[in-house]
Every structure is written in structure tokens, then in C-alpha cells.
Amino acid sequence: MSRLRLGRWLVAIPMSLLALATIYPLLFTANVAMKTRRDYILDRFGLTDALRFENISTAWNSVGMGRYFVNSLFVVTVSVLLLLLFGSMAGFALSQLRFRGSSALFLGCLAGLFIPFQVIMVPLARIMADTALIDTYPGLILVYVAQFLPFTVFLMTSYYKGIPPEIVDAARIDGSTVYGVYRRIMLPLGTPALLSVGILNALFCWNDVLMALVMMPSADHRTLMIGVTSLRGQYSDNIPTFASGVLIAAIPVLLVYLFLQRQIADGVAAGSTKG
Amino acid sequence: MPMGNTQPSVRPASAGRAGGAAVTSAAHRSGARPRRTRGGLRAERYAPYILVLPAVLIIVLLRLYPLLLGVNFSFTGDGEQNGTAVGFGNYRELFADPLFQTALKNVGLLVLLLPVAVAIPGLLATFIYLRVPGHRFYRSVYFFPAVLSPVIVGAIFNLLLAFDGPLNAVLGSFGIGPVDWLGDPDIAMFMVVGVHIWATFGMALVVFLAGFATLDAALLDAARVDGATLRQVVWHVIIPALSRTIQFVFVTTMIGMLTSMFGLLYIMTSGGPEGSTYLPEFYIWKQQGQMNRPALASAASTILFMIMLVVGLLQIKLLERSGKED
């Protein structure tokens, strides 16, 4: 037993080092963002001598990260709300209602899971250009919704399958319409799943680069992640400003992670155990 | 409430607790309403279709239809030949293109590195499951990079791996000469894959831990009582019991490597140096967006889809086999 205990402590050492390697890059970036350019060149690793926010405000204002931040926030919010609405509607119907063709429709939605954006990028860009949706917010939102809807429908369907059909039957006998059942029973009962799926979708949309890059060519429509990529060319010689831009993009995710870590992990776990 | 274990047979009690109030209030309210009319009944019959309509419409129009369109597109020409059929011309050009050859070679490298990318989170999850001191802390910390955008991760590592950057400064103080981490064609791809594994092993870790949650603890106790060493426990108890989870992680890690490294490639190397860090997804984007060769890009998309299809079918095969063993 004591041998095992010692072994556990021995394992804990490399695991702690790995934990350090996992968070250090972000801490380093945060530290650099507080330094002046001169400080950074003289000493890369030393702790900053003061909490300076000039770099952050430069990045936010003159680099335009503030504007991109608002763009991202808007696109992500609308996309996630639509995903949750369409996903829960379809999930409810596919799990609780019996109707002709329901299993074929479910399989159709599922098939979407196996088509990554890279594979349909060219035709999708063409469709968006033909419908004048390219370089518009509705266009990007539509692309995000289409990208993450199969996953959302899949998770909501398997979640709602766990709700006993007697609940729906009872409400129906009492004269509630299908829509009434959806609004007054399924939405409230689905809250835990909607929260998990919503946070995951928000992270996916917030973190996306490729779709935003293909669908939003103009500079003032950039999302925050595209803003980060543009920092590389413009501020490669001004590392503290570069680090500040990265930090602005990372902080919302860090906050979401600190407060909602459980829901994120639950969502990932649910996706794996259902598969 | 965890979403992973909602079995219908055990649900009524817990569902009643969560939704009882909603159900009774809904029943009360609608009980006072007059009975449904004939028109209402017909509307009710179509209700399921109306509920699935938005999702189905979006998925069919913006996922399934573009797939067919893209395959069709890959057999037509670019530029002056736009719209005319060229047979397998694009595919011939594709396989003759050294950049696409590099992209495929790099896919081969990813396949070779796949066991490493699965074993690391698997081993760490085992230790966390066995309650190494501080296991809760490790779990939170390891998972964190997985929620960061590849662009943020890539930007941070751009900073750390720059030729005049911090890593070389540290190595330099030990007398190890500066290494051009992202500028040397022999090293750059390994760095990008390494950063990808660093950024995503937490995702696989969480999946493994979800698998461990279904593991029968009595099995482990029995092995422990019989005096099994950690290695024996891993080989003879944990791996057989988690075979489905392990297969799932293999497939999702492979798909992740094939479809979510664009952000890293874009910001860290842009496919360079000397085209050594191309992957199919980067090639597709480059041909479509920069080179104005959409039909050639479509051909590359079709090849990428075939690769993913093979990965997916392999998973189904494996699942069938493990189903027979059960």
C-alpha cells in the first residue's frame, strides 16, 4: 500500500509540470501584455513592474479589436439562439412524436455530422455569393447554424429521449397543443441540455477562423479571431500590443471556462457517450 | 445534471422532480380551454413536420446539397473552362501537385502520431481516475487549452517559438544554438502537430474520464486485491473495459487533426516553410481563396471527404466487432 502511495506522488510530479506547461503560455502572454515594448526586449520573462493597460487599450481602440469583439459577440449570440431554437424543436419532434419519416429525417440530420466545412467550402461559398449572403452577418450566422446544427439536433434528440412519453401524453389529453407541449414542457425540461449545448456552440462559433475567413472578406466585418490573425502581420515587431490583442480574444473564453467548466465537460462527455 | 446517463427506465422520478411543476401548471391552464376544432387537429397532424422543418431545411440545403454540388464541381474546369466537363483532369493535376503530395504525406504523419495523441490523454485520465494527489486540479487545467481557439493558441506559440523569442533565449543560455522552430522545413510540421496535441489533449481526456465513469470499480478493486501492478491493471482491466471509448477517441482525434488544424497552420506557418506544413484543408482554402481555382479545390475536398469516410467506416467496423465480442 505504501509503495502505491509513493508511486502516486511520483506520478504527481510530471503531472504538475505538465499542468504548468499547460497554463504557462497564457500567463506569459498576459505578462507580456502588461510590459512596455522596451521592457520586453530587455527582459522577456521577468514579471512586469506594473499593471499597465495601455497596450490593451491600444489594441482595443486603434487596432480595432473592440469593433471585432462586438462583431463576434453579435454573430455568436444570434447563431447560438437559432441553434438552440431549431435544435430543440427538431429534437423534441424526433424523440417524442411519432410521425411518418421521422427516422429518415433523423438520419438525414445525422449525415450532416460527417460533412466537415472544409469539404463543402467551395460550393457553400458559391451558394452564399449567388444569394448575396457572402460578406453579410446573416450569411455567416447561417453558415454557423448549418455547421453546428447536426450536433445540436443529435444531442437534443438523445436528451429528450430520456423524458418519459407519459408526460407528453398527459398534457395532450388535457388539451395542450404540440406547440404548447414544446413551449411549456420541453423547453423548461431541456434547460440543462440547452445550457451545455449552448455553451459548446458559443465556444465553437467564437473560436472559428476558417468559416469567418471564407465568408467575411471585408475588413470591417471581421470577427475577433480574424482580427487576431491580422495582428501577426501588423504588430509582429510590437510584441506587447500583439499579446494584448491575443489576450482580449482569450479573456471571454477564460471567464466562460472558469464559471461553466462543468457544463462544457458535460457537453463533451454527452457527445461521446451517445456516440 | 449530467447529460450522459439519462436512461428512460430510471427517468420518471427525476424528470418529475425537475418538470413536475411545469407539467401540472400546463395541464391546469389548458384544461380550461375549449376542445380542439377540426382545423386545429389538422394543424396538429403537421406539427411534427413544422418542428423539424427549419433544421432539416438548413441541413439539406447547406450541408448535403453542397456536398453533391462540390463533387459535381470537381469534374468541371477552372477559369476559361469554367463549367465545362473535364473528367478526371482536376484529380490528375491534384496528384501531380507537389504541394498536395506534401499535404497527403503530412496526413500520413498524423496517422503515425495518432497513437501518441491518444495515449497521452488516456494515461493522464487513468492517473486522474486513480486519484493522484491533486486530480481535480489537473482535470481543470488540462482541459483549458481545448476551449481556446486554434488562432489564439497559434498566436501564443508564434510568440514563444519565434527565432528571437523566449524559447530560443532559454536554450541559448544553456548553449544550445537558436533553432528556427517554424522556419525549418524539417521541424515546422512537428511543431505545429505538437502544438495541436498540446491544445487538444484535454478534450480527449474528458472523453476518457466519461468512459471511466462507466467503469465498474469492483473490477479494479478485485485486481488490486489480487496484487496486480498498475501496468497489469491498465493492460488487463482498463483497456478491455474502455475499448469503445478508446476507439471513439481514436476516430475523433483523427478527424480533429484533419479538420481543425487550419487555424494553427494559418497563423503559425501559412503552409510554409517551402510548403512543408500543408494539410488538405489548407490546400483547399489556398486554391479556393488565393489561387482562384475552385474546381481544383473541390477535387481536393472530395479526396478529403474520402479520407474521412475511410476513418468513419473503420470506426463502424470496429464498433461492429466489439459488439460481437460483448
Side-chain angles (χ1 to χ4, degrees), chain A residues 3-4 8-9 11-12 14-16 18-19 21-23 25-26 28-29 32 40 44-45 86 89-90 92-94 97 99-101 105 108-109 111-112 114-128 142-143 145-147 149-150 153 155 158-159 161-164 167 171-172 174-179 182 184-185 188-189 192-193 196-197 203 207-210 213-214 225 228-229 232 239 242-243 246 249-250 253-254 257 261-262 264-275, chain B residues 1-8 11-12 15-16 18-19 22-23 26-27 29-31 33 35-36 43-44 46-52 54-56 58-59 61-67 69-70 73 82 124 127-128 130-133 137-145 147-152 155-160 164-167 169-170 198 201 203 206-207 210-211 214 224 229 244 248 258-260 262-263 266-270 281 284-285 288 294-295 297-298 301-302 304-305 308 315 319:
Chain A
R3 207 173 64 95
L4 212 76
R8 284 183 180 189
W9 281 104
V11 172
M15 287 186 81
S16 307
L18 184 62
T22 311
I23 38 179
L26 197 68
F28 176 84
T29 310
V32 170
Y40 177 75
R44 293 189 172 88
F45 298 100
F86 297 157
M89 279 163 58
F92 162 50
L94 293 170
L97 304 175
F99 59 100
R100 205 190 264 255
L105 289 175
C109 291
F114 300 101
I115 306 171
F117 177 75
Q118 285 85 346
V119 167
I120 52 169
M121 185 162 85
V122 179
L124 203 53
R126 175 148 300 195
I127 291 172
M128 288 290 152
L142 210 54
V143 169
V145 171
Q147 171 76 17
L149 200 53
V153 169
L155 276 192
S158 43
Y159 184 80
K161 264 194 190 131
I163 289 173
I167 292 183
R172 302 276 283 137
D174 285 340
S176 186
T177 65
V178 173
Y179 305 111
Y182 168 71
R184 284 193 292 268
I185 302 176
L189 276 184
S196 269
V197 179
L203 283 174
N207 288 343
D208 163 70
V209 224
L210 184 55
L213 206 57
V214 173
M225 294 308 134
V228 172
T229 65
R232 181 175 165 243
I239 300 298
F242 179 89
V246 173
V253 178
L254 181 66
Y257 185 73
Q261 194 196 128
R262 236 200 104 84
I264 301 173
D266 280 351
V268 172
S272 70
T273 49
K274 305 286 185 196
Chain B
M1 178 161 41
M3 295 168 56
N5 47 18
T6 47
Q7 292 300 318
R11 278 291 297 199
V23 177
R29 246 178 290 150
S30 49
R33 230 186 257 161
R35 290 203 62 81
R36 276 169 281 160
E44 286 281 279
Y46 293 119
Y49 297 101
I50 292 170
L51 284 169
V52 295
V56 168
I58 290 174
I59 291 172
L61 285 182
L62 298 179
R63 296 264 107 189
L64 306 181
Y65 170 64
L67 183 66
L69 202 64
F73 211 39
N82 189 10
L124 292 169
F127 290 137
I128 289 175
L130 294 175
R131 296 180 192 281
V132 162
F137 169 74
Y138 297 134
R139 186 194 169 132
S140 315
V141 171
Y142 292 164
F143 187 45
F144 175 61
V147 300
L148 281 178
S149 170
V151 163
I152 296 177
I156 292 175
F157 276 91
N158 257 350
L159 208 64
L160 293 171
D164 57 350
L167 181 62
V170 172
W198 174 87
F201 80 93
M203 204 54 109
V206 167
V207 175
T214 64
R224 204 66 74 62
T229 62
R244 278 197 66 158
F248 181 80
L258 286 174
T259 60
S260 59
F262 177 85
Y266 182 67
I267 198 164
M268 288 178 76
T269 62
S270 299
E281 54 172 336
I284 296 166
W285 174 78
Q288 191 253 349
S298 288
S301 289
T302 308
L304 177 61
F305 186 62
M308 304 208 39
Q315 179 193 29
L319 284 180

Side-chain angles (χ1 to χ4, degrees), chain A residues 161-225:
Chain A
K161 264 194 190 131
I163 289 173
E166 290 80 15
I167 292 183
V168 178
D169 291 345
R172 302 276 283 137
I173 288 165
D174 285 340
S176 186
T177 65
V178 173
Y179 305 111
V181 173
Y182 168 71
R183 217 164 36 128
R184 284 193 292 268
I185 302 176
M186 286 300 154
L187 276 185
L189 276 184
T191 313
L194 288 170
L195 194 63
S196 269
V197 179
I199 297 163
L200 273 183
N201 279 328
L203 283 174
F204 293 153
C205 295
W206 181 268
N207 288 343
D208 163 70
V209 224
L210 184 55
M211 286 176 261
L213 206 57
V214 173
M215 296 299 157
M216 294 296 232
S218 348
D220 59 334
H221 285 170
R222 273 178 187 156
T223 61
L224 191 54
M225 294 308 134

Side-chain angles (χ1 to χ4, degrees), chain B residues 141-200:
Chain B
V141 171
Y142 292 164
F143 187 45
F144 175 61
V147 300
L148 281 178
S149 170
V151 163
I152 296 177
V153 170
I156 292 175
F157 276 91
N158 257 350
L159 208 64
L160 293 171
L161 300 175
F163 190 69
D164 57 350
L167 181 62
N168 275 336
V170 172
L171 291 178
S173 66
F174 291 107
I176 303 169
V179 181
D180 199 356
W181 301 106
L182 299 175
D184 184 332
D186 295 327
I187 303 176
M189 190 62 199
F190 286 97
M191 295 317 289
V192 179
V193 179
V195 170
H196 177 77
I197 294 176
W198 174 87
T200 55

